[in-house]
Amino acid sequence: MVAMFELDALLVEAKPKADKVLADVCQFVLESFDKFDLNKDGFLSREEIEIALRAPDRTVKQAAFLQFLLVRMNEIAAAVDDDPNSAEAAESGISSLDLRTYFAHLLEKQD
């Protein structure tokens, strides 16, 4: 029983830090969205994120945020049906609405 109590205490302590990291990822990507969206189609493609990742001025923290997007790309892109008439909607990439919805859901789940 003591071990479970300690784990619960650790989870309670870690939650604000996890929420902060998620909020920071979302803020960074939303603030940089237009810069990363090279073809100006309203979506971040895998290629556009990879190009942003390779930028010479990219910090380690920003690179980690972009890696997070690459790993979770399909999940984030599926957060909102941006174009219900397109069978390739998720393949188009990540929209800013996808990002807002995905991170809002993650932060909500953390509560």
Side-chain angles (χ1 to χ4, degrees):
M1 285 297 194
V2 174
M4 183 56 80
F5 175 75
E6 290 173 5
L7 178 60
D8 288 344
L10 283 173
L11 290 173
V12 168
E13 184 180 320
K15 184 195 177 315
K17 294 174 185 172
D19 285 353
K20 172 84 169 90
V21 170
L22 290 172
D24 287 351
V25 172
C26 187
Q27 180 181 358
F28 166 70
V29 178
L30 287 173
E31 287 176 356
S32 306
F33 193 92
D34 290 336
K35 181 178 165 185
F36 295 161
D37 184 16
L38 300 175
N39 65 3
K40 306 300 180 207
D41 67 349
F43 293 88
L44 297 181
S45 68
R46 180 169 299 281
E47 181 181 354
E48 289 169 328
I49 296 170
E50 289 171 348
I51 289 169
L53 186 59
R54 291 190 303 266
D57 60 339
R58 188 70 52 229
T59 68
V60 172
K61 184 177 182 178
Q62 292 169 342
F65 291 170
L66 291 167
Q67 283 289 355
F68 178 87
L69 292 183
L70 286 172
V71 169
R72 303 214 176 260
M73 186 152 191
N74 291 339
E75 188 178 331
I76 297 169
V80 175
D81 190 4
D82 297 297
D83 184 359
N85 297 321
S86 172
E88 301 171 355
E91 293 174 19
S92 299
I94 299 170
S95 70
S96 61
L97 183 57
D98 288 328
L99 288 165
R100 285 185 180 89
T101 303
Y102 178 80
F103 283 100
H105 179 72
L106 272 185
L107 290 167
E108 182 181 286
K109 271 177 49 174
Q110 298 288 326
D111 292 337

